[in-house]
Amino acid sequence: MAEAEEKVVKSSEESTDDSEEDESEDEPKLKYERLSNGVTDILQQDAASCMTVHEKFLALGTHSGKVYLLDIQGNVTQKFEISTVKINQISLDESGEHVGICCEDGKVQVFGLYSREGFHEIFDCPIKIVAVHPQFGKSSCKQFVTGGNKLLLYERTWLNRWKTFVLHEGEGNITNIKWRGNLIAWANNMGVKILDIITKQRITNVPRDDTSLRPDMYPCSLCWKDNLTLIIGWGNSVKICSVKERHASEIRDLPSRYVEIVSQFDEEFYISGLAPLSDQLVILFYVKEVSEKAGKVCCARPRLDIIQPLPESYEEISSDALTVRGFQENECRDYRLEYAEGESLFYIISPRDIVMAKERDQDDHIDWLLEKKKYEEALMAAEISQKTIKRHKVLDIGLSYISHLVENGDCELAARKCQKILGKNMKLWEDEVYRFKKIGQLKAISQYLPRGDLRLRPAIYEMILDEFLKSDYEGFSTLIREWPGDLYNNMTIVQAVLDHLKKDPQNRTLLKTLAELYTYDQRYDRALEIYLTLRHKDVFQLIHKHNLFSSIRDKIVLLMEFDAEKAVDMLLDNEDKISTEKVVEELENRPELQHLYLHKLFKRDHHKGQRFHEKQISLYAEYDRPNLLPFLRDSTHCPLEKALEICQQRNFVEETVFLLSRMGNSRRALQMIMEELHNVDKAIEFAKEQDDAELWEDLILYSIDKPPFITGLLNNIGTHVDPILLIHRIKEGMEIPNLRDSLVKILQDYNLQILLREGCKKILVSDSLSLLKKMHRTQMRGVLVDDESICESCLSPILPSDASKPFSVTVFHCRHMFHKECLPVPSMMSPLQFCNICSAKHRVPGSAILEMKK
């Protein structure tokens, strides 16, 4: 059981003992407050016997026979002296304008609070209960019921007289009545009955479970959850009853309605009152316990529980022990639970105290979270409902959270929360920075400081940078890299770094950071010097970004030594800023770097560095022979004599052969291949490339006494030279390796050539015949000659305007038309006529295909 500490206005006579209440980790569902002001004065001299709650006011009855009307704060607005004995019940209609009061001396009064109409009667027995019609203000609803030893209905007639009906009797005293709509529920010694006031029919009887309990000491508690749901609490038993309509076929002599008990369960303690709360129940319990000191049963503090009813059991939602004044002397019948319809507002009435309970709102929830130091949850709750909370501010909760984290030593989390909590409040930001400085935790907050549109004073950032510079070079470098350069005074920080470099001149971290500071300050030349000294990868990015090509003219060697590939690419991409001549000049003493630059230049464009091609021959020969031959092949500006001289000096046979062939000395080139390379395949390939009969002859003469060369020639010569020329020159008796295979290959190649020729011939004949047929079909087609056709010679209409006159027209295959008289007379040597236009344009001439005469 969770016991919640009540929040009440304390007076000198209050007997609340807070020390008895244990703290709980479960948040209470309700909050409590004593009803004070006028109520305090009343209960000092009198004792409360009953109370009724209306949405506008409260009506309190006392043991001395007085009735007080109170406002919601407990201030007395009106007082009625009804009797000298205990007020048993006060009943209000829904409008709050009519009240019914009954007393222990049998007196009953029903009157209007704002009118003179009323009913006054004194019975010969105590009247325990009275209930006025909920719509008593209406003329058709002037009814009320009283409960003593009978249940009496009073109804005003049209003559303003009151007529009495006995609704029930003979089962003991009536102890409770609840009227809702057209249904009246009452409890007597035997159980609970429900009556339909319209039909005057009793719907049901719910018997009392525990008959051992005295009804006057443990009275029945009733409340309507809605117009058709009655909740009964008696002893420790709870029943929830639902009034339902009976099916027409089942009515017969039965009432039109019946009651079904939808939920029933027993509680641990005795019920003093109950009230609905949405789909849950609020129950006031009278509790007895065994005193450890006296060893006897005594009255304990009453409990107010919220439960979730189930069909045969319940689930406890919350349970609070209430410290009310004089609870040690109270009995079960001394407690009452009243509630305001439509509001989550409950009143616990005891003779010496009235406590108001209400559902906790978001402010109360946040109070509890803060009390339990659950700042994260409190902050989240305040952010979600910041439009509805009244007593808390998100910022105040956030600041308390930061303070809590700092006090507990969790500075990293506190710094991270600053970003969200402090937002754009620069004053609060600076206060927090100084607090972190005071506890030596500036590093923790550094990465979360504002650095966008809203910024702190430069001195704040400089203070943090100085803290890092004293103890953490890497952290200092990170901040300089991440923070915009205009957050602080750049010159101040540069000077501070220079002072530290005097103690440690080779510190790479400080040098790199200094270069970044120089970059922010647009002193790019100094930054570039440091980057080159450090061989830093960002040097090329710095040059490109800030166009520092004029500053690197004398630093090309340094750049090439750092990263030759990147340096060459950058120089070639920016030839307009640093010329090729300047680069070659700077690299004069570093020929290997000079070669790398010129090689990439040549790859990009064979003509750009033509003036350096002669130099490149030596560079390729020295540093990159594999690319020398491709260079010689692709270059058209290379001096061949110089190249030949260098290749011959270094005995580069392949390159020399290429140069000799390019200079026209093919025989010498072939001779080098055969004598120095001894590579018959290469010699044959060279002869094929040159396609010179004399070279083939030289190759045959050189190979005739070398069997391996003869084999190579026999295998490859067939398609270029007649193999018979070679075979006839072979000496008799010479052993030639793989001669048979070579001869077979020659024959196969010959047969293949014959087959290819025959196949080509067939294809040619077939295509010729097909084209001839196509041409014939085309020439056999007619040609349209109409009035729009003109003579291509005289440009007049080809057909005469007078169709009766004779005419003669010639039409050629090319679709050109002429008058017969406009064509030249054919000669005796060539009787065929040709189109003058097509003949003049060197087209294939065609003979006339049609002559038209009339």
Side-chain angles (χ1 to χ4, degrees):
M1 178 181 69
E3 297 183 350
E5 182 176 352
E6 59 186 293
K7 295 184 178 180
V8 297
V9 178
K10 297 184 179 180
S11 66
S12 60
E13 295 185 11
E14 181 180 347
S15 62
T16 302
D17 185 4
D18 292 337
S19 63
E20 295 181 6
E21 300 187 0
D22 301 327
E23 292 187 358
S24 171
E25 287 302 317
D26 295 327
E27 181 180 1
K29 301 298 181 183
L30 301 172
K31 63 178 179 178
Y32 302 92
E33 181 181 352
R34 274 199 174 90
L35 203 59
S36 57
N37 299 322
V39 172
T40 303
D41 298 333
I42 294 170
L43 297 184
Q44 283 178 352
Q45 302 172 4
D46 204 344
S49 60
C50 61
M51 191 173 84
T52 299
V53 179
H54 190 268
E55 61 182 10
K56 299 177 183 177
F57 62 92
L58 310 174
L60 173 64
T62 68
H63 279 262
S64 63
K66 297 178 178 62
V67 174
Y68 297 90
L69 299 187
L70 313 170
D71 62 15
I72 303 301
Q73 284 75 35
N75 298 301
V76 177
T77 60
Q78 204 168 353
K79 176 182 176 182
F80 302 95
E81 294 189 5
I82 305 298
S83 177
T84 58
V85 296
K86 177 183 174 184
I87 302 293
N88 284 330
Q89 180 64 32
I90 302 172
S91 176
L92 294 169
D93 67 349
E94 291 181 355
S95 67
E97 296 179 359
H98 299 84
V99 61
I101 303 170
C102 64
C103 307
E104 190 67 23
D105 58 3
K107 186 180 292 184
V108 175
Q109 293 189 21
V110 178
F111 57 90
L113 294 174
Y114 310 106
S115 64
R116 294 184 179 181
E117 63 175 341
F119 170 88
H120 302 273
E121 180 93 15
I122 299 177
F123 294 86
D124 57 1
C125 67
I127 301 300
K128 298 293 184 181
I129 200 79
V130 65
V132 300
H133 194 293
Q135 304 291 330
F136 191 87
K138 295 181 179 180
S139 59
S140 61
C141 299
K142 296 295 184 180
Q143 296 173 318
F144 68 92
V145 292
T146 62
N149 53 16
K150 299 177 183 179
L151 180 66
L152 299 177
L153 170 66
Y154 290 84
E155 185 174 305
R156 194 167 70 176
T157 64
W158 62 280
L159 293 175
N160 287 333
R161 294 182 179 179
W162 292 93
K163 187 177 181 181
T164 307
F165 300 91
V166 178
L167 298 179
H168 188 72
E169 64 180 330
E171 292 185 355
N173 286 331
I174 310 297
T175 57
N176 202 346
I177 300 175
K178 292 295 177 183
W179 193 333
R180 181 72 174 252
N182 296 321
L183 298 176
I184 299 175
W186 73 92
N188 57 26
N189 292 351
M190 305 303 293
V192 176
K193 282 78 175 170
I194 300 177
L195 179 89
D196 188 335
I197 196 65
I198 301 297
T199 62
K200 300 293 192 301
Q201 283 185 314
R202 197 169 69 185
I203 296 174
T204 190
N205 175 35
V206 181
R208 180 158 63 107
D209 290 337
D210 190 351
T211 56
S212 65
L213 297 174
R214 288 175 54 185
D216 58 329
M217 297 298 292
Y218 297 91
C220 176
S221 297
L222 300 175
C223 75
W224 287 98
K225 181 180 179 182
D226 53 47
N227 288 344
L228 297 174
T229 305
L230 177 67
I231 305 171
I232 304 171
W234 206 338
N236 62 352
S237 173
V238 176
K239 294 184 176 72
I240 300 177
C241 307
S242 179
V243 179
K244 298 185 177 181
E245 294 288 339
R246 200 183 299 275
H247 193 273
S249 61
E250 300 175 353
I251 292 178
R252 299 176 186 173
D253 298 329
L254 300 174
S256 60
R257 296 184 180 183
Y258 70 97
V259 169
E260 178 183 341
I261 298 177
V262 295
S263 178
Q264 179 175 351
F265 51 87
D266 292 334
E267 288 281 0
E268 181 182 358
F269 305 106
Y270 298 117
I271 298 167
S272 292
L274 40 75
L277 177 64
S278 186
D279 61 338
Q280 299 171 345
L281 286 182
V282 179
I283 304 180
L284 178 63
F285 290 109
Y286 169 69
V287 181
K288 287 186 176 183
E289 62 183 6
V290 178
S291 173
E292 295 180 0
K293 295 180 180 179
K296 62 179 182 179
V297 176
C298 61
C299 298
R301 291 177 297 173
R303 276 182 29 169
L304 191 69
D305 287 10
I306 300 176
I307 65 168
Q308 178 66 59
L310 301 173
E312 296 181 356
S313 63
Y314 65 93
E315 178 185 351
E316 184 178 286
I317 305 301
S318 73
S319 180
D320 300 330
L322 308 178
T323 305
V324 298
R325 295 187 184 99
F327 69 87
Q328 296 88 344
E329 293 88 27
N330 292 338
E331 298 289 341
C332 183
R333 63 183 176 180
D334 294 326
Y335 292 109
R336 297 198 181 201
L337 178 64
E338 299 292 340
Y339 64 98
E341 290 281 351
E343 298 181 26
S344 300
L345 188 59
F346 308 93
Y347 294 87
I348 298 94
I349 300 101
S350 68
R352 294 293 178 182
D353 209 354
I354 299 176
V355 177
M356 181 172 61
K358 62 174 67 175
E359 270 196 300
R360 297 169 65 87
D361 57 18
Q362 198 67 1
D363 279 303
D364 300 316
H365 175 59
I366 293 171
D367 281 334
W368 185 83
L369 291 172
L370 292 175
E371 181 184 336
K372 298 298 180 182
K373 300 190 182 303
K374 298 181 178 183
Y375 291 95
E376 179 78 27
E377 296 176 37
L379 183 61
M380 187 181 301
E383 288 173 342
I384 292 171
S385 55
Q386 56 183 321
K387 292 183 179 179
T388 58
I389 56 178
K390 299 174 181 177
R391 293 186 284 106
H392 293 94
K393 294 181 180 179
V394 174
L395 180 59
D396 293 339
I397 297 172
L399 292 175
S400 299
Y401 186 23
I402 294 172
S403 300
H404 170 72
L405 291 172
V406 171
E407 289 169 5
N408 289 347
D410 196 349
C411 296
E412 178 63 31
L413 181 56
R416 187 160 67 247
K417 293 299 178 182
C418 285
Q419 206 168 25
K420 177 181 179 182
I421 294 168
L422 304 182
K424 300 179 181 179
N425 193 322
M426 297 299 107
K427 173 66 170 60
L428 291 178
W429 266 110
E430 294 191 5
D431 292 345
E432 289 302 323
V433 171
Y434 283 114
R435 172 156 63 170
F436 275 72
K437 175 179 172 57
K438 187 176 180 180
I439 61 175
Q441 291 292 335
L442 277 177
K443 291 183 179 180
I445 201 172
S446 62
Q447 57 182 316
Y448 304 109
L449 291 180
R451 62 185 79 168
D453 296 335
L454 294 173
R455 299 179 178 185
L456 307 179
R457 292 181 293 112
I460 301 294
Y461 300 100
E462 292 167 13
M463 178 175 66
I464 293 175
L465 289 172
D466 184 64
E467 179 74 18
F468 273 90
L469 190 57
K470 289 177 182 177
S471 57
D472 184 2
Y473 287 162
E474 289 295 336
F476 173 76
S477 177
T478 301
L479 289 183
I480 293 297
R481 190 163 54 252
E482 293 178 353
W483 285 2
D486 55 350
L487 285 179
Y488 46 84
N489 188 319
N490 202 59
M491 291 303 300
T492 302
I493 304 302
V494 167
Q495 188 58 50
V497 175
L498 290 173
D499 292 341
H500 279 264
L501 279 172
K502 290 177 183 177
K503 303 173 188 176
D504 188 4
Q506 302 303 318
N507 190 292
R508 292 181 63 84
T509 302
L510 285 182
L511 286 171
K512 175 185 171 185
T513 307
L514 182 61
E516 292 172 351
L517 289 168
Y518 280 139
T519 302
Y520 294 145
D521 209 25
Q522 298 185 2
R523 289 186 280 180
Y524 303 119
D525 51 345
R526 294 193 179 185
L528 184 61
E529 289 178 9
I530 295 174
Y531 277 138
L532 286 174
T533 304
L534 297 175
R535 294 177 177 266
H536 195 273
K537 60 182 179 59
D538 291 342
V539 65
F540 298 102
Q541 181 182 351
L542 181 71
I543 294 169
H544 277 293
K545 186 175 181 179
H546 301 292
N547 196 20
L548 303 179
F549 295 98
S550 58
S551 301
I552 63 168
R553 289 177 176 273
D554 56 346
K555 299 179 179 64
I556 294 174
V557 174
L558 284 174
L559 285 170
M560 295 281 283
E561 287 177 342
F562 172 44
D563 191 331
E565 291 292 329
K566 282 189 176 181
V568 169
D569 289 338
M570 182 187 70
L571 292 169
L572 292 177
D573 291 339
N574 297 275
E575 288 182 75
D576 55 329
K577 297 166 185 171
I578 302 180
S579 65
T580 302
E581 290 76 11
K582 177 63 179 175
V583 177
V584 173
E585 179 186 341
E586 286 294 321
L587 298 175
E588 193 63 40
N589 296 326
R590 296 294 299 274
E592 73 281 5
L593 300 178
Q594 194 180 58
H595 162 68
L596 183 60
Y597 173 78
L598 290 173
H599 172 64
K600 281 207 168 187
L601 175 64
F602 179 75
K603 285 291 184 183
R604 289 196 179 193
D605 191 332
H606 295 342
H607 307 289
K608 269 192 176 179
Q610 56 183 337
R611 57 175 293 191
F612 303 109
H613 284 197
E614 182 176 347
K615 176 188 285 290
Q616 282 185 267
I617 299 170
S618 301
L619 294 174
Y620 275 112
E622 181 67 28
Y623 302 107
D624 192 10
R625 185 189 170 186
N627 282 314
L628 175 57
L629 187 57
F631 169 74
L632 295 174
R633 285 188 179 135
D634 296 337
S635 174
T636 58
H637 308 285
C638 175
L640 299 180
E641 294 82 0
K642 177 69 175 178
L644 181 62
E645 179 184 347
I646 292 172
C647 292
Q648 287 178 339
Q649 288 175 357
R650 294 177 176 269
N651 196 29
F652 293 169
V653 179
E654 290 188 15
E655 292 79 356
T656 303
V657 168
F658 169 76
L659 290 169
L660 287 171
S661 65
R662 189 165 174 181
M663 296 170 68
N665 195 350
S666 301
R667 285 192 170 186
R668 174 60 184 148
L670 181 63
Q671 182 181 356
M672 287 191 69
I673 293 172
M674 293 186 294
E675 293 180 354
E676 298 189 29
L677 295 180
H678 305 289
N679 190 332
V680 65
D681 294 330
K682 197 167 188 66
I684 293 169
E685 188 65 31
F686 180 76
K688 289 179 181 179
E689 289 177 0
Q690 301 300 318
D691 196 19
D692 187 347
E694 293 183 1
L695 278 182
W696 284 109
E697 184 65 26
D698 292 342
L699 181 57
I700 292 172
L701 290 175
Y702 181 80
S703 305
I704 202 65
D705 58 348
K706 299 178 180 62
F709 275 48
I710 293 175
T711 302
L713 284 172
L714 288 173
N715 288 334
N716 295 282
I717 202 173
T719 56
H720 296 275
V721 180
D722 189 351
I724 297 300
L725 296 176
L726 175 60
I727 294 170
H728 282 168
R729 297 188 184 186
I730 298 173
K731 296 178 181 178
E732 293 184 9
M734 178 182 288
E735 288 188 10
I736 300 173
N738 300 320
L739 177 61
R740 184 186 66 181
D741 295 340
S742 298
L743 292 176
V744 169
K745 185 175 184 303
I746 289 172
L747 294 174
Q748 288 176 344
D749 289 346
Y750 178 75
N751 289 333
L752 180 60
Q753 289 182 17
I754 296 300
L755 289 173
L756 285 173
R757 287 179 182 177
E758 290 178 353
C760 290
K761 181 178 178 183
K762 289 179 180 178
I763 293 170
L764 182 61
V765 170
S766 175
D767 287 350
S768 299
L769 180 60
S770 176
L771 291 172
L772 179 63
K773 290 179 178 179
K774 183 178 179 181
M775 183 183 72
H776 184 261
R777 287 196 304 270
T778 302
Q779 292 181 346
M780 289 296 292
R781 291 176 182 168
V783 178
L784 176 64
V785 179
D786 56 15
D787 294 338
E788 294 182 0
S789 304
I790 62 171
C791 175
E792 299 292 344
S793 178
C794 65
L795 302 179
S796 60
I798 199 73
L799 298 177
S801 56
D802 188 358
S804 60
K805 293 183 179 180
F807 65 92
S808 180
V809 175
T810 301
V811 181
F812 291 92
H813 291 300
C814 58
R815 302 300 191 264
H816 291 136
M817 305 176 186
F818 296 91
H819 294 122
K820 186 68 177 285
E821 57 271 18
C822 293
L823 289 172
V825 178
S827 63
M828 296 298 294
M829 298 295 294
S830 177
L832 292 175
Q833 283 186 316
F834 297 96
C835 174
N836 295 341
I837 296 174
C838 294
S839 298
K841 293 180 179 179
H842 304 288
R843 294 179 181 171
V844 178
S847 59
I849 61 169
L850 178 64
E851 287 192 5
M852 299 176 60
K853 294 183 180 180
K854 183 176 179 182

